[in-house]
Amino acid sequence: ITLIPISVNAAADDAIAAYTGGASVSEGGVMITAPEIAENGNTVPISVEAPGAAEIALYADGNPTPGVAVFKFGPAAGSHRASTRIRLGGTQDVVAVAKMPDGSFQQAAVEVKVTIGGCGG
Amino acid sequence: MSDVKPRIRLPRTAKAGQAAEIKTLVSHVMETGLRKDSDGNTIPRMIINRFTCEYGGEMVLDMALEGAVSANPYVEFDIMIGEATEVVFTWYEDGGAVYTETKELSFG
């Protein structure tokens, strides 16, 4: 078993392993832009960018369900970035995993401190 | 659901060969399936689970969404402008409903 040097909880670990098919994931190559402190966990702005990536999958490791979204970039994409707004149930790490065209994976994580949770809590 | 209303912002003037930003927002509750009503019954999940943007017969973005995407899903991304004018946006809802919106690029 290869341990990834990012402290994600077991459910998020499983979700990421399901996405990568168990392939090893290297650090870096993905940029996540997120607020350091989010006052309202119901709508937290997140941007992800991974130059050259075919897909970027986004996970919130402290949510009841860790999966958030998967962005697949098509041939008419103008970049390999996307932004959206997500729900965070509390302070946690947001993890972005990029799938490269050669089938390798890269990831990055940022911690977002949440003052009011976004899962009805 | 009748309250699904897309709002889309395309680049004001498109130039072939250039990347340009598109912003989309669709009004939707994104019910996670995790909440309970006042009687303690679970409110069934009802979310937009997929969003696509197509241009000139090619995919720009194909996004899978989970319940962790905020209500009124907002997505911002870039398109590579070519010759085609029509940009097609599609939202897929749990239960099979599909909402499509077509917008025309104006070339400057």
Side-chain angles (χ1 to χ4, degrees):
Chain A
I1 298 170
T2 348
L3 290 171
I4 39 173
I6 283 178
S7 62
V8 288
N9 73 20
D13 244 351
D14 290 349
I16 293 169
Y19 176 67
T20 61
S24 66
V25 181
S26 57
E27 298 294 312
V30 190
M31 279 151 284
I32 309 175
T33 310
E36 204 174 313
I37 298 172
E39 279 185 21
N40 181 359
N42 275 311
T43 173
V44 182
I46 301 279
S47 292
V48 290
E49 180 170 11
E55 302 180 9
I56 304 175
L58 194 59
Y59 300 91
D61 81 346
N63 274 359
T65 313
V68 177
V70 181
F71 303 95
K72 287 185 192 175
F73 302 103
S79 71
H80 300 92
R81 69 157 200 110
S83 303
T84 188
R85 295 172 186 153
I86 71 171
R87 291 167 167 151
L88 294 175
T91 297
Q92 58 185 285
D93 284 340
V94 173
V95 184
V97 181
K99 183 180 187 181
M100 308 310 286
D102 66 0
S104 67
F105 293 90
Q106 297 182 315
Q107 74 172 13
V110 292
E111 190 193 45
V112 179
K113 291 188 170 68
V114 176
T115 331
I116 302 167
C119 292
Chain B
M1 280 167 53
S2 56
D3 60 343
V4 176
K5 192 170 169 287
R7 279 188 277 164
I8 295 158
R9 184 183 289 177
L10 292 179
R12 204 161 289 165
T13 50
K15 285 194 178 70
Q18 286 190 0
E21 187 175 85
I22 294 180
K23 294 178 177 182
T24 69
L25 187 144
V26 64
S27 55
H28 196 280
V29 291
M30 294 292 280
E31 189 60 60
T32 59
L34 300 171
R35 296 198 311 150
K36 288 182 165 53
D37 64 17
S38 52
D39 298 328
N41 302 313
T42 301
I43 306 169
R45 188 182 110 146
M46 181 54 74
I47 68 167
I48 297 290
N49 57 52
R50 185 183 176 207
F51 163 68
T52 62
C53 172
E54 287 162 274
Y55 174 63
E58 287 188 323
M59 200 60 90
V60 180
L61 180 73
D62 186 346
M63 177 185 181
L65 295 80
E66 302 287 345
V69 174
S70 300
N72 306 322
Y74 169 82
V75 190
E76 186 186 313
F77 53 96
D78 294 322
I79 183 173
M80 182 55 74
I81 308 288
E83 303 298 320
T85 55
E86 280 194 348
V87 190
V88 183
F89 302 86
T90 313
W91 290 265
Y92 298 82
E93 189 183 50
D94 284 352
V98 175
Y99 306 91
T100 300
E101 184 94 351
T102 302
K103 291 273 180 187
E104 301 245 325
L105 287 169
S106 54
F107 286 82

